[in-house]
């Protein structure tokens, strides 16, 4: 299922939502990922199924998703972007059905956060950066991606910020997609502790990608 491709012209409404979701422009053009490891065939099949039925998954009882894999560049982040693109594709027409202005900021249907730069900006620049806005929106957006959640050691400040986001979303039953190199709950616990790990791992479907780096490879 390809949402975006070289032949798709992103209209102004979609473009507004893509930028608001913090999705970089190079991700607006999408190619299908190639399965390089036969062990990933079922994982890719399940990810495609979730994507093709995204609205049902996001409203299910267990509506969080962990895409994990030890290899760098194995497709974890690419799949997370695919989910966000589908979320926008599924919702942009409803949002602008009544011809809202595209500058209207009230619509939070999707947001992408790369954990390390987000937490760095939040700590370094506080109220003077977009990170503060992202922090507020992360608690309420319809679908949030937190990318590379344990790619660096967390300070107490970092932990508190992520914990507040995760807890707020779990209490509101808002879906979150996490990508991580941790492939077991015990491994994540070493980085995030018992309380935060339990709130992430126990509320999610876990899909592991075992293959090597996919960077630069597309299925033509």
């Amino acid at each position: 299922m390809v949402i975006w491709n070289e032949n798709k012209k992103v209209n102004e409404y979609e473009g507004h939502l893509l930028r608001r979701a913090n999705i970089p422009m190079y991700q607006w053009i999408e190619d299908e990922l190639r399965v390089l490891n036969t062990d990933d065939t079922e994982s890719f099949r399940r990810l495609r199924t979730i994507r093709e039925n995204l609205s049902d998954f996001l409203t299910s009882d267990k509506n969080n998703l962990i895409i994990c894999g030890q290899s760098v560049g194995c497709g974890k982040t690419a799949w997370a972007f695919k989910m966000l693109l589908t979320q926008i594709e599924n919702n942009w027409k409803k949002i602008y059905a009544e011809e809202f202005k595209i500058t209207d900021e009230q619509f939070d249907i999707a947001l992408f956060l790369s954990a390390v730069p987000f937490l760095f900006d939040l700590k370094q620049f506080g109220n003077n950066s977009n990170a503060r806005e992202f922090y507020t929106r992360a608690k309420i957006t319809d679908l949030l991606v937190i990318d590379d959640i344990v790619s660096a050691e967390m300070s107490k400040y970092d932990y508190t910020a992520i914990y507040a986001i995760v807890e707020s979303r779990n209490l509101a039953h808002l879906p979150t997609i996490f990508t991580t190199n941790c492939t077991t709950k015990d491994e994540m616990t070493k980085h995030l502790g018992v309380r935060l790990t339990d709130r992430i791992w126990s509320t999610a479907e876990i899909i592991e990608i075992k293959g090597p780096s996919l960077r630069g490879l597309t299925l033509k």
Side-chain angles (χ1 to χ4, degrees), residues 150-169:
V150 294
S151 57
E153 291 300 321
M154 283 191 178
S155 67
K156 185 176 180 180
Y157 182 95
D158 297 336
Y159 175 90
T160 301
I162 293 295
Y163 186 95
I165 291 171
V166 171
E167 181 74 344
S168 295
R169 296 186 64 77

Side-chain angles (χ1 to χ4, degrees), residues 42 53 59 138 144 173 220:
E42 185 55 39
N53 302 277
T59 55
L144 174 68
H173 198 58
K220 298 296 187 181

Side-chain angles (χ1 to χ4, degrees), residues 1 15 33 56 67 96 100 128-129 140 194 199-200:
M1 178 179 180
L33 292 175
D56 291 338
I67 307 174
Y96 294 110
F100 289 107
N128 296 322
S129 83
I140 61 172
V194 174
R199 282 162 171 76
I200 293 172

